Amino acid sequence: MNEKVLPRSMAPYSLALLPGDGTGREVMEEVKRILSTFHDSGAISLETTEIPCGGQHYLDTGEEWPAGSFEYCRDESDAIVVGAVGWPGATLPNGDIAGGQALLGLRSALDLYANVRPVKLYKGVKHKVHGSFIDVWDNELVDIVMVRENTEGLYHALLRRSGMAARGEERDEPLVIDGFPGLEGEVGWDIRPISRKGSERVIRFSFELAKRRESRLGSVQKVTCVDKSNVTRGCRLFRDVFREVSSEYQGIVTNEAFIDAFTMWLVRSPEDLDVVVLPNMFGDIATDLASVLQGGMGMAASANIGDEHMLFEPVHGSSPKYAGQNKVNPIAAISSVQLMFDTLGLKNDDQEAMLCAEVIERAISEHMSSGGPVTYDLGGKASTTEVGEAIASRCAAILTELGS
Ligand code: IPM
Ligand code: MN
């Protein structure tokens, strides 16, 4: 019998799609359109399974997602794509965000320690720092990748509870302190543990990413460590580990910044930044701010990456205000699919997946630079569907041109 292993190109990638709440459901329709475009063209083979989840699902059914969803994501899928999770009024009895299992639970239980958030300004995208749209920035100016630690820090307790729930365990409240010296009365408090292991793996990830960017872009890369090590012990450890790891990467330039000053530099001189690594909550906040430099949240994509698993999501939330209006920008979600193909390609040494990533990147870039239809956030009037269709047909045209 022929013992040859089935080539990667013949085994379909199995994708779990979690639309979640509000506009997450609408952008997921455009994700599906893009995925079908690639699958139908023969460029790559994909199988998808859609899983309902989120706060709205919780309000409708009393559960955050159907039983077995976590196991499906863990055992049966090569990659997970999430639309958005979170809905006003959807809260668990313990006060945690309802639907959190599908995002925080997966980040925790699948150990997705690197939250990769590229901040790239495409040519033709207008940005709005001053309220009106301006087109003064060269697209070379903003090309940053923020890497947010994704499994500990100020999110630790919530991640732990959501991860336990995803695994079917009882959520615990491990630490109880009666009273805080120096404080009186009721106290709301959160722990912020930062470990050597957690810091080392995300920092190493950032340096490896910088190395790949160096060879892709042909320019020297800088890794900036952002923390508040003048105040917190966790950040002190984070920065110490940064220094240790950086000594292994001689060619790469390093920089260190405190988060307060960093927010100013980010807005003032984004051209000075390449790869940026930050503890969890700082990364959460700084990436929303940074999205303004790329045209807003409608353009901000993200990848949650661990050693075994990967999950992709637009950085934006479920935007209840715009839900059901076919109005929001689907490009953040489509770019997240681009990150998915890129990550699958890298992990499996799969040229087909890499090519799909390049095609999406080129399609978005050409769509924007040629004045393709855009949604309200970018100053246009197009609907979610119109933008999604335009980019999907551009992908199809590029694939035909490439002859796949
Ligand atoms: C994000 C979101 C989540 C987070 C929310 C929905 C819990 O803001 O992905 O950045 O805080 O991590
Ligand atoms: Mn956030």
Side-chain angles (χ1 to χ4, degrees):
M1 200 183 130
N2 189 348
E3 291 288 350
K4 237 169 71 184
V5 177
L6 194 66
R8 174 69 256 179
S9 60
M10 290 176 68
Y13 283 114
S14 165
L15 311 178
L17 307 183
L18 284 70
D21 292 312
T23 56
R25 298 178 180 183
E26 292 162 49
V27 297
M28 187 59 81
E29 290 305 310
E30 303 317 313
V31 164
K32 281 154 61 180
R33 194 189 306 282
I34 291 285
L35 294 174
S36 315
T37 302
F38 281 89
H39 178 84
D40 296 348
S41 75
I44 197 158
S45 180
L46 305 169
E47 276 172 9
T48 59
T49 301
E50 205 165 319
I51 300 176
C53 65
Q56 288 177 292
H57 184 75
Y58 178 77
L59 294 176
D60 291 345
T61 65
E63 55 179 16
E64 294 182 85
W65 54 1
S69 300
F70 170 67
E71 289 73 14
Y72 185 84
C73 291
R74 183 189 59 196
D75 304 331
E76 312 289 338
S77 69
D78 294 296
I80 303 158
V81 186
V82 175
V85 166
W87 195 249
T91 314
L92 299 178
N94 73 350
D96 288 352
I97 163 178
Q101 275 189 60
L103 183 62
L104 299 156
L106 287 171
R107 286 179 185 166
S108 166
L110 300 182
D111 218 11
L112 306 172
Y113 58 84
N115 192 329
V116 181
R117 299 184 157 187
V119 184
K120 181 174 164 157
L121 180 63
Y122 282 98
K123 203 175 168 67
V125 175
K126 301 184 182 196
H127 81 102
K128 42 174 183 175
V129 175
H130 306 289
S132 57
F133 292 97
I134 38 179
D135 198 7
V136 289
W137 285 10
D138 193 295
N139 64 322
E140 302 289 306
L141 223 48
V142 183
D143 187 3
I144 307 167
V145 183
M146 313 263 266
V147 184
R148 161 188 177 189
E149 199 292 317
N150 212 26
T151 54
E152 48 185 45
L154 211 37
Y155 280 72
H156 168 79
L158 176 58
L159 283 168
R160 184 181 160 87
R161 288 195 296 270
S162 312
M164 294 176 103
R167 285 194 299 265
E169 298 161 18
E170 189 138 353
R171 297 170 200 245
D172 73 356
E173 297 288 348
L175 211 63
V176 180
I177 297 176
D178 273 335
F180 283 74
L183 296 178
E184 277 173 27
E186 189 180 347
V187 178
W189 59 277
D190 302 274
I191 53 167
R192 183 175 178 264
I194 290 185
S195 73
R196 167 170 285 278
K197 179 186 161 203
S199 304
E200 188 174 336
R201 60 187 185 177
V202 75
I203 290 168
R204 199 173 290 286
F205 181 98
S206 306
F207 276 94
E208 289 296 325
L209 175 67
K211 242 169 66 179
R212 282 200 304 281
R213 271 170 63 95
E214 206 153 73
S215 55
R216 249 188 222 182
L217 304 171
S219 60
V220 174
Q221 290 289 302
K222 176 163 68 185
V223 181
T224 301
C225 175
V226 175
D227 57 56
K228 192 71 184 170
S229 53
N230 52 343
V231 173
T232 75
R233 287 188 178 148
C235 279
R236 224 140 66 205
L237 177 60
F238 194 78
R239 190 178 281 204
D240 285 347
V241 173
F242 178 79
R243 290 184 181 167
E244 286 168 28
V245 172
S246 71
S247 67
E248 297 167 31
Y249 292 87
Q250 291 303 342
I252 292 171
V253 180
T254 62
N255 189 23
E256 297 168 350
F258 297 138
I259 180 68
D260 46 355
F262 173 77
T263 55
M264 177 180 61
W265 294 331
L266 172 66
V267 174
R268 199 181 61 192
S269 330
E271 67 278 14
D272 287 348
L273 299 167
D274 298 312
V275 175
V276 179
V277 61
L278 319 90
N280 204 339
M281 184 64 92
F282 293 162
D284 178 49
I285 298 167
T287 51
D288 273 33
L289 172 62
S291 78
V292 171
L293 304 169
Q294 63 185 143
M297 289 293 250
M299 299 298 286
S302 84
N304 296 254
I305 301 176
D307 291 331
E308 309 288 334
H309 302 277
M310 52 180 96
L311 179 154
F312 302 84
E313 42 152 0
V315 178
H316 64 70
S318 61
S319 342
K321 192 168 128 195
Y322 295 118
Q325 297 176 35
N326 195 21
K327 200 175 164 168
V328 299
N329 189 348
I331 298 181
I334 296 170
S335 279
S336 301
V337 174
Q338 188 263 335
L339 291 175
M340 179 191 81
F341 282 135
D342 193 54
T343 313
L344 284 170
L346 191 69
K347 179 171 180 179
N348 300 301
D349 195 16
D350 178 351
Q351 294 309 314
E352 289 178 351
M354 289 286 195
L355 180 77
C356 295
E358 281 161 30
V359 170
I360 296 184
E361 166 112 40
R362 199 180 128 191
I364 295 174
S365 173
E366 290 178 4
H367 177 83
M368 293 313 309
S369 61
S370 67
V374 291
T375 42
Y376 78 96
D377 53 314
L378 297 179
K381 290 197 164 61
S383 66
T384 308
T385 317
E386 281 161 353
V387 175
E389 279 172 354
I391 294 175
S393 35
R394 218 173 256 280
C395 288
I398 298 172
L399 285 167
T400 309
E401 178 199 312
L402 297 173
S404 27

